[in-house]
Amino acid sequence: MSTELTDDLAHDLPTIDGGDNPTVAPDTSFASFGVHADIVTALADHGIVTPFPIQAMTLPVALGGHDIIGQAKTGTGKTLGFGVPLLDKIVAPIDPGYADLDYPGRPQALVVVPTRELAVQVGTDLGKAAAKRGIRVECIYGGRAFEPQIAALTRGVDVVVGTPGRLIDLTQQRHLNLHSVRTVVLDEADEMLDLGFLPDVERLLGQTPTSRQTMLFSATMPGAVVSLARRYMTQPTHIRAMAAGDEGSTVSAIEQFIYRAHAMDKVEMVSRILQAQGRGLTIIFTRTKRTAAKVAEELTDRGFATAALHGDLGQGAREQAMRAFRNGKVDVLVATDVAARGIDVDNVTHVINFQCPEDEKTYLHRTGRTGRAGQTGVAVTLVDWDDLPRWTLINKALDLGITEPIETYSSSEHLYADLDIAPSVTGRLPRTARVRAGLRAERIEDLGETGASAGKGRSQRSGRRQSSSHDGKAADTSADRRKGSTNDTEGERRPRRRRRTRGGVTVSDAAAADTAGSQS
Ligand code: ADP
Ligand code: MG
């Protein structure tokens, strides 16, 4: 691997730069870094033997206990980049030194992530790597009942992975004590600051010992992230496994098609695109919850195994949709941007922007859901006439060279040629091709959720109010709340906040959602 230690002028931090195309020497393995044998074996059980470049660059520095700012594109393996060193340092209950800890059972490591979905994903990945060490990894995030999380913390937890709102709640309630934390990871730091979590993150950091090791990972390095790093990190090394001028870009391995489309014809177009050769898992993005729900319904009617993922669904339904998508019971996920933050599912072959993204960042985030872990992907963006100015800005910012998207219909020949669709396909999936089990085949878990789903009665919510000391945080909604204040079309705020009173009558969530939807 070619790494040189340079002085990064932009941030004047010591930098290890992997160059434009970082590679790993063929004989490198996790074992060769001296990682605990049980972690090496556990990873090998999942076919993970050779570190990815960001991991190979991070491991020696992180295992040495140094602070790290890690920067790499999504899907390149950042989780194990911090996860392996973090787990390697944990004194597990099976270790002789465990009894000598000042407070055994208090978390020794804290991973803060911006979204619930990412908490689950990171927690699962760490759990796999830790399986043979008996290290207890617990996910702490909102929308679920407090009780199981509190019970786990009371029994003893070694690693906590969580979203800021719920973590703060539990520290305030004194169920979570961060004074024994020796490693803190801020994952997707740029997303976290985007979502307005900076005060929460600072508060959490303030409760951990200053002697801690801090690792911050981010696909992009905006000024706010760098200044967070300056304030809370000790002589961090900036490790970059991507080209310097390439920050945030995920598009190189993704084939991009932009079409000007007509609202009435979009579902017809999408039905054809979903029958392209080689089409695997597909994410369709919409700007509003209402459109997400509607498109999912129409595609289901047409025979596609589809699930919706948006903020009007309760946490149980969201997790059901994610599980069904991950395990292939459905192969089409229709999602809003906020709900889809941090979704990292491998093998997504196609991303379809049903509505033009808000800006270039959203475009990169959406398209970056495909082309992960070294694979290629296809991103199709449908641009309405009204959205052309918006597209023009995105095109300019990303220098994509598509100033005038070609007008396209579900019958346009170039659509079939571009995307490798057989000319004979129709707007419905033939019965013989309907082989997936569908969303209903995926169990919906009762999470005792605190983030109420659409359509639930008022009494339940007022009941929750009484029982919760500060219910503004009960649903871990700071992300949704803050996002909601700047981006109303997406309207991912929690129902409680959307409820409005008209002439003394509570307006239902569905009606509130309609209001949000009609703004698009
Ligand atoms: P990022 O956080 O950079 O977006 P992830 O850590 O989620 O990426 O990793 C992306 C995918 O690559 C995951 O499915 C993960 O299991 C897989 N992966 C990570 N490291 C390795 C490795 N060394 N060998 C094989 N697969 C890996
Ligand atoms: Mg990640």
Side-chain angles (χ1 to χ4, degrees):
M1 186 180 52
S2 66
T3 56
E4 49 178 316
L5 198 60
T6 58
D7 202 41
D8 184 54
L9 290 175
H11 311 132
D12 67 83
L13 298 171
T15 299
I16 299 177
D17 197 330
D20 289 6
N21 205 349
T23 50
V24 175
D27 55 343
T28 316
S29 67
F30 282 97
S32 59
F33 290 99
V35 173
H36 196 296
D38 288 347
I39 297 177
V40 173
T41 335
L43 290 175
D45 285 353
H46 295 278
I48 298 178
V49 177
T50 309
F52 285 165
I54 183 75
Q55 297 161 354
M57 294 166 76
T58 309
L59 282 168
V61 186
L63 287 166
H66 301 286
D67 284 5
I68 279 180
I69 301 176
Q71 187 180 10
K73 295 184 190 188
T74 51
T76 54
K78 292 191 285 294
T79 311
L80 291 176
F82 63 74
V84 168
L86 173 156
L87 292 171
D88 196 69
K89 206 161 105 181
I90 299 289
V91 183
I94 54 170
D95 293 337
Y98 187 75
D100 299 332
L101 291 176
D102 286 343
Y103 295 98
R106 272 194 195 169
Q108 299 169 47
L110 170 70
V111 182
V112 189
V113 301
T115 66
R116 299 166 185 181
E117 277 77 17
L118 191 58
V120 174
Q121 191 171 326
V122 169
T124 309
D125 287 355
L126 296 190
K128 282 180 192 161
K132 295 196 188 319
R133 294 269 296 126
I135 294 171
R136 296 156 299 179
V137 179
E138 184 67 19
C139 291
I140 301 281
Y141 56 98
R144 287 187 159 238
F146 279 86
E147 291 75 13
Q149 297 176 357
I150 294 171
L153 290 169
T154 309
R155 280 194 303 272
V157 166
D158 307 302
V159 179
V160 165
V161 182
T163 50
R166 180 58 69 92
L167 288 170
I168 297 233
D169 275 353
L170 288 170
T171 55
Q172 284 178 339
Q173 297 170 18
R174 305 201 178 282
H175 295 296
L176 174 61
N177 185 313
L178 299 176
H179 296 141
S180 301
V181 163
R182 296 191 301 146
T183 314
V184 173
V185 176
L186 307 177
D187 193 18
E188 307 223 349
D190 48 356
E191 286 277 312
M192 211 126 61
L193 299 197
D194 265 7
L195 290 167
F197 279 135
L198 181 61
D200 290 352
V201 169
E202 292 186 316
R203 228 161 121 188
L204 290 165
L205 283 167
Q207 296 184 34
T208 61
T210 48
S211 59
R212 67 177 183 262
Q213 177 182 20
T214 312
M215 298 188 256
L216 177 153
F217 285 78
S218 201
T220 62
M221 285 295 156
V225 171
V226 177
S227 90
L228 177 73
R230 281 194 191 292
R231 271 174 292 143
Y232 292 95
M233 301 178 83
T234 312
Q235 298 179 331
T237 299
H238 182 187
I239 297 179
R240 192 164 54 201
M242 62 201 276
D246 195 19
E247 298 205 350
S249 169
T250 48
V251 294
S252 56
I254 303 169
E255 249 192 305
Q256 299 166 78
F257 299 95
I258 322 296
Y259 301 121
R260 188 156 76 67
H262 295 262
M264 300 298 286
D265 189 42
K266 281 184 180 179
V267 172
E268 291 292 343
M269 280 178 82
V270 168
S271 306
R272 267 97 180 157
I273 298 169
L274 290 177
Q275 296 178 72
Q277 288 297 320
R279 202 272 296 176
L281 297 185
T282 301
I283 305 181
I284 301 176
F285 283 100
T286 66
R287 275 212 300 271
T288 70
K289 295 177 288 190
R290 194 168 159 228
T291 309
K294 199 162 147 268
V295 169
E297 200 181 298
E298 287 188 32
L299 292 175
T300 305
D301 282 349
R302 289 163 180 261
F304 299 96
T306 308
L309 184 72
H310 55 75
D312 271 351
L313 299 171
Q315 185 66 14
R318 283 165 73 151
E319 293 191 17
Q320 175 197 29
M322 277 311 301
R323 276 198 311 273
F325 187 59
R326 271 182 214 283
N327 64 28
K329 287 188 180 127
V330 303
D331 60 354
V332 180
L333 187 71
V334 189
T336 55
D337 291 303
V338 170
R341 271 177 194 268
I343 294 182
D344 291 341
V345 177
D346 294 342
N347 310 320
V348 170
T349 61
H350 288 62
V351 165
I352 303 173
N353 293 319
F354 193 84
Q355 290 164 307
C356 182
E358 208 51 43
D359 52 29
E360 75 273 9
K361 272 192 75 164
T362 311
Y363 180 82
L364 286 174
H365 181 266
R366 288 180 177 189
T367 52
R369 300 307 99 194
T370 180
R372 295 178 52 78
Q375 293 167 343
T376 57
V378 175
V380 182
T381 302
L382 307 183
V383 182
D384 281 283
W385 184 257
D386 300 355
D387 276 333
L388 276 178
R390 205 192 293 268
W391 171 256
T392 305
L393 292 176
I394 295 173
N395 178 59
K396 209 165 142 211
L398 300 176
D399 199 14
L400 296 172
I402 307 168
T403 40
E404 233 166 282
I406 180 166
E407 181 167 15
T408 306
Y409 296 88
S410 53
S411 55
S412 300
E413 267 174 36
H414 63 261
L415 178 74
Y416 292 72
D418 284 354
L419 299 172
D420 203 0
I421 305 169
S424 58
V425 308
T426 69
R428 301 181 71 79
L429 190 66
R431 292 206 178 274
T432 50
R434 299 183 188 183
V435 292
R436 306 221 174 218
L439 181 64
R440 288 211 189 98
E442 185 67 50
R443 198 169 55 89
I444 184 158
E445 228 182 313
D446 180 5
L447 305 173
E449 50 196 71
T450 54
S453 61
K456 280 192 185 161
R458 176 168 195 175
S459 56
Q460 187 201 338
R461 278 197 222 109
S462 38
R464 179 168 64 82
R465 281 201 156 174
Q466 283 153 11
S467 65
S468 173
S469 52
H470 53 301
D471 94 334
K473 280 291 183 74
D476 190 31
T477 58
S478 15
D480 299 340
R481 190 170 66 230
R482 289 172 187 133
K483 185 73 190 167
S485 63
T486 57
N487 184 1
D488 267 348
T489 36
E490 205 161 81
E492 292 288 347
R493 287 159 297 170
R494 282 287 158 214
R496 185 183 62 77
R497 297 187 49 84
R498 262 201 319 276
R499 200 171 61 223
R500 294 189 185 87
T501 308
R502 257 179 224 156
V505 180
T506 301
V507 180
S508 76
D509 296 318
D514 274 352
T515 315
S518 63
Q519 290 169 3
S520 69

